[in-house]
Amino acid sequence: MSAAPRQALVIGASRGLGLVLADELAGRGWHVIATARRPGGELQARADAHDGRLEPETLEMNSPSQLAALRERLTGRRLDLLFVNAAIDRGNLPIGDVPTDMFTEVMITNALSPLRTLETLRDLVAPGGTVAVMSSEQGSITLNTEDGHELYKASKAALNQLMRSYATRHGADGQTKLLIDPGHNRTRLGGPDATLAPHESIPPVADVIEAQAGAPGLQFLDRHGEPVPW
């Protein structure tokens, strides 16, 4: 009798890195629940191609009520992986020129909502399972030696700091905790001049997720499994 497939929930899989990650894991035999803000689209097309291994769900991650409703729909499910992929950028402005509403929008989407999602859904993850968030080397204070994209960098640094606090508070839960830097990708966020395509960067990211299963504590790793300086 074959073992049951590993179960994953990928938050933010309508396009780009999240969609390719959901597709990659399903192709490796995982059963993947993947969310998008609206039904249909590319996620549904990939689900149709995976013969039941990829299960679309609808979620606006910035909505606490929608998060609670998703948690209710998933009652009784047991996850081996919860992966939150979410980020926006609103332009390359010096921080003094950033409007308050833009600052609030980026910080909520890139830092607050990912951690709120982990807190809402973490009890679905099995002991020994993994909770992971897509970060970026742009969130590294050590590597911030070039100007530009100050708000995005600040949001990713805030994400990393909040994930550190999360890991400290939940250090005894037996779950692996990861921040993943996938590299600079040609997505709507990364732009057309990025060095990588998602289909190039995501298979190594999936390798890292699988290789780190069961590892203790929190790690900030790149797509090759190498530590990224905080």
Side-chain angles (χ1 to χ4, degrees):
M1 182 176 180
S2 60
R6 290 167 292 181
Q7 304 282 319
L9 171 58
V10 178
I11 304 293
S14 61
R15 62 178 183 268
L17 294 170
L19 177 64
V20 177
L21 177 61
D23 189 57
E24 175 71 19
L25 292 174
R28 295 182 180 210
W30 291 66
H31 181 90
V32 182
I33 308 160
T35 75
R37 285 179 292 176
R38 289 174 290 275
E42 291 183 70
L43 178 57
Q44 185 61 58
R46 295 313 306 155
D48 292 342
H50 276 295
D51 193 27
R53 291 194 305 276
L54 182 52
E55 177 184 348
E57 270 283 358
T58 302
L59 174 70
E60 167 51 69
M61 187 187 65
N62 288 340
S63 167
S65 63
Q66 288 197 28
L67 268 174
L70 176 64
R71 173 63 187 82
E72 184 66 24
R73 292 196 299 274
L74 296 179
T75 297
R77 307 290 284 267
R78 182 58 69 192
L79 303 173
D80 300 289
L81 170 67
L82 168 58
F83 195 104
V84 180
N85 171 67
I88 59 172
D89 191 8
R90 290 295 184 255
N92 188 11
L93 295 174
I95 196 65
D97 295 336
V98 172
T100 300
D101 58 350
M102 181 187 294
F103 183 89
T104 301
E105 179 192 20
V106 172
M107 283 292 184
I108 287 173
T109 301
N110 292 6
L112 175 60
S113 289
L115 270 296
R116 185 182 277 157
T117 298
L118 293 189
E119 295 286 8
T120 302
L121 302 175
R122 60 179 298 275
D123 66 321
L124 296 172
V125 181
T130 299
V131 294
V133 181
M134 197 76 86
S135 186
S136 169
E137 71 170 19
Q138 298 267 48
S140 167
I141 294 173
T142 301
L143 297 179
N144 185 12
T145 58
E146 298 180 2
D147 63 5
H149 298 279
E150 295 175 23
L151 175 55
Y152 182 78
K153 289 176 178 177
S155 72
K156 286 298 188 179
L159 170 71
N160 292 353
Q161 182 74 291
L162 291 172
M163 188 65 174
R164 173 70 82 180
S165 297
Y166 173 93
T168 300
R169 187 157 26 86
H170 297 300
D173 64 6
Q175 295 172 357
T176 296
K177 301 168 183 70
L178 300 173
L179 288 159
I180 298 291
D181 165 32
H184 189 195
N185 281 264
R186 292 189 294 276
T187 62
R188 185 177 298 183
L189 178 66
D193 298 324
T195 55
L196 294 166
H199 73 269
E200 297 171 317
S201 62
I202 287 300
V205 166
D207 289 342
V208 170
I209 292 168
E210 292 183 334
Q212 293 298 324
L218 170 65
Q219 299 179 82
F220 183 14
L221 303 174
D222 68 15
R223 69 185 185 280
H224 303 300
E226 295 298 321
V228 180
W230 295 90

